[in-house]
Amino acid sequence: MKKFNAITLILLCLTSFNLQARPGENQGQTGDQRCFETTKSPVFEVTQKASFKTDDKVYSSPAIMADGTVVVGSDDGKVYFLRPDGSLKASFQTGNKIVSSPAIMNDGTVVVGSNDWKVYFLKPDGSLKASFKTGGVVSSSPAIMADGTVVVGSADGKVYFLKPDGSLKASFQARGRIKSSPTIMNDGTVVVGSRGGKIYFLRPDGSLKASFETGGWVSSSAAIMSDETVVVGSGNGKVYFLKPDGSLKASFQAGGEVYSSPAIMNDGSVVVASLDGKVYFLKPDGSLKASFKTRGKINSSPTIMNDGTVVLGSRDGKVYFFKPDGSLKASFQTRGRIWSSPAIMNDGTVVVSSEDNKVYFLNPPQKTSKTVSRSVQVACSGSKTSKPVNAGSRKEK
C-alpha cells in the first residue's frame, strides 16, 4: 500500500509541474511549445527576356557598353557584340578560347584577353584596333586606369601595363601564374593576386609598393571598401581584409576555396562566395552576418543591383537573387553550370553566361500575386497576435 501511494505521489507531482505555465509561455501551454507570429512575404519571379547561343561553352563574364551593347567571349574563340534584345550585332574571332572578361575603355574600345596569349583591343563595331602578345594564356580580365592605361595579368606571371594604343608601357614579374583580374585603387595603386599565393600592390608605373602572403592561390580579384580596405579571397578558404599599405586588418574563414571576387554593398557589407557552395554576407569588420547554401560550387562573383539585390551564379546552373539580409529572393534555372559573373544593364536586365553555350538576358525579379508565410518566434506574453505553432512552418499561397 505504501509503494502504491509513493508512485501516485510522484505522478501527481509530475502532472502538477507540467500544468504550470513556464516563463515566456502562454498559460496552459505544455511541453516545449513556443510562440510564433506568422509573417507574409511576397514571392518574386525571374523570367527570361532573351538568350543568345554561341558555338561553345561560355565562362567569360559579360560587359555592358554605353549604348547597351553586351560584349562577351566564348570557348569558340569569339568575342560577341550583342544588342540589348539579345540579337547578334558583330563578332571577332581570336586564336583560342576566351575566359577573360572584356573591359570597356572611355572611347568604347573593348579590351579582352585570349588563350592564344594575346590581349585584343577592338573597336565598338567589333573590328580589330590593336593587339599585344604576352608570354602565356590571358584568362585575367583587364582593368582600365584613369589615364587609359590597361592593366592585365598573364599565365607567364607578368602584370602588363599597356598604353591605349596596345603598346607596352611597363610590366611586373610576379611569383606564379596570374588569373586574378587587377583592381585599381583611388590613388592609382593596382591590386592583383597570383597563383604563387601573393597579393601585390603595384604603383601606376608598375613597380612594387607592397605585397601580402596568403596561404593559397589567389584567383579572386580584389574589391575596395569606402575606407580603402582591400577585400580579396584565397585558395586557402580565407577572405582577407587588408589595409591600403598591404598589412592584414582582418580575415574570415570560409568552408572552401574562395575564387569568387567580393562585392561591396551600400552599407559596407561584403558578399563573397566559395567552392563550399555558400554565399557569405560579411560585416565590414570581417565577421559573419549571414550565409546561404546553394547546391553547387561557386566561382561566380556577386553583382549588386541598384535596389541592393545581390546576383550571382552557381555550378548548380542557377542564377540566384538575394535580399540585402542574405535571404533568397528568387532564382532562375539555366541548363548548364555557371562560372561567370552577371552584368546589369541600365534597365535592370541581368545578363549572365552559362556552360550550356548561352548568354541569358533576364528580367529583374518581379512580385507575383503569391505570398510565402513564415513563422517567427516571439515571446509568449499572452498577446492576441501570437499563438503557439510548430517551429519553422512555411506555407506558400
Side-chain angles (χ1 to χ4, degrees):
M1 190 69 175
K2 288 182 181 180
K3 184 176 180 180
F4 174 80
N5 286 340
I7 293 173
T8 303
L9 182 60
I10 290 170
L11 291 173
L12 287 171
C13 290
L14 289 173
T15 302
S16 176
F17 175 80
N18 281 332
L19 289 174
Q20 291 179 11
R22 297 181 185 179
E25 291 185 349
N26 285 343
Q27 295 291 330
Q29 299 305 321
T30 64
D32 62 351
Q33 286 179 314
R34 293 166 288 169
C35 291
F36 294 81
E37 281 185 346
T38 299
T39 62
K40 289 185 177 181
S41 301
V43 172
F44 288 84
E45 183 181 41
V46 175
T47 57
Q48 182 175 316
K49 186 177 181 180
S51 68
F52 178 84
K53 190 168 185 179
T54 74
D55 294 327
D56 210 332
K57 298 178 178 65
V58 186
Y59 299 108
S60 170
S61 299
I64 314 293
M65 298 181 70
D67 66 354
T69 299
V70 173
V71 190
V72 64
S74 169
D75 265 15
D76 60 16
K78 287 183 181 178
V79 182
Y80 290 92
F81 292 71
L82 307 176
R83 298 186 182 94
D85 64 3
S87 62
L88 180 64
K89 184 178 181 180
S91 65
F92 177 84
Q93 182 71 58
T94 72
N96 209 321
K97 298 178 180 181
I98 299 175
V99 178
S100 170
S101 301
I104 315 295
M105 299 182 70
N106 288 336
D107 66 355
T109 299
V110 174
V111 189
V112 64
S114 171
N115 284 11
D116 65 6
W117 299 17
K118 287 183 179 180
V119 180
Y120 289 91
F121 291 70
L122 306 178
K123 296 176 185 176
D125 64 2
S127 61
L128 180 64
K129 182 178 181 180
S131 66
F132 178 85
K133 189 165 186 178
T134 74
V137 167
V138 183
S139 54
S140 167
S141 303
I144 314 296
M145 298 183 72
D147 66 355
T149 298
V150 174
V151 190
V152 64
S154 170
D156 64 8
K158 285 185 178 179
V159 182
Y160 291 92
F161 292 70
L162 306 177
K163 296 175 185 176
D165 64 3
S167 60
L168 181 65
K169 183 178 180 179
S171 66
F172 174 83
Q173 182 66 59
R175 184 184 71 193
R177 292 177 296 160
I178 298 178
K179 294 188 70 175
S180 167
S181 302
T183 302
I184 314 297
M185 298 182 70
N186 289 333
D187 66 354
T189 299
V190 175
V191 186
V192 63
S194 84
R195 299 296 286 263
K198 276 193 173 183
I199 300 166
Y200 294 94
F201 291 70
L202 306 178
R203 297 186 182 94
D205 64 2
S207 60
L208 181 64
K209 183 178 180 180
S211 65
F212 179 84
E213 186 86 35
T214 73
W217 292 351
V218 182
S219 296
S220 168
S221 301
I224 313 298
M225 299 178 71
S226 59
D227 64 355
E228 292 293 282
T229 297
V230 174
V231 191
V232 64
S234 174
N236 63 357
K238 285 188 176 180
V239 181
Y240 291 97
F241 292 68
L242 305 177
K243 297 175 185 176
D245 64 2
S247 60
L248 181 64
K249 184 177 181 181
S251 66
F252 173 82
Q253 182 68 57
E257 298 99 315
V258 180
Y259 299 134
S260 164
S261 301
I264 312 298
M265 300 181 69
N266 290 335
D267 65 354
S269 298
V270 174
V271 189
V272 66
S274 168
L275 293 192
D276 64 3
K278 286 186 178 180
V279 183
Y280 293 93
F281 292 73
L282 307 178
K283 297 175 185 175
D285 64 2
S287 59
L288 181 64
K289 183 179 179 182
S291 66
F292 182 92
K293 175 80 170 174
T294 74
R295 294 184 177 181
K297 295 179 179 180
I298 304 177
N299 292 76
S300 174
S301 301
T303 302
I304 314 295
M305 300 182 71
N306 287 336
D307 64 356
T309 299
V310 176
V311 193
L312 87 168
S314 170
R315 288 200 221 169
D316 62 13
K318 284 187 177 180
V319 183
Y320 289 90
F321 295 75
F322 296 99
K323 297 174 185 175
D325 64 2
S327 59
L328 183 64
K329 186 175 186 179
S331 66
F332 179 86
Q333 182 72 57
T334 72
R335 294 187 175 181
R337 297 183 296 178
I338 298 175
W339 300 67
S340 73
S341 305
I344 313 297
M345 300 181 71
N346 287 336
D347 65 356
T349 299
V350 176
V351 188
V352 64
S353 49
S354 171
E355 209 176 43
D356 62 7
N357 300 10
K358 287 185 177 180
V359 181
Y360 289 88
F361 293 69
L362 306 177
N363 291 306
Q366 299 293 324
K367 284 184 183 180
T368 67
S369 58
K370 297 179 180 179
T371 60
V372 173
S373 298
R374 288 184 175 86
S375 294
V376 181
Q377 188 173 357
V378 296
C380 296
S381 57
S383 169
K384 293 181 180 179
T385 61
S386 63
K387 59 183 180 179
V389 297
N390 292 329
S393 67
R394 184 178 185 272
K395 187 177 181 181
E396 185 173 307
K397 294 183 178 180

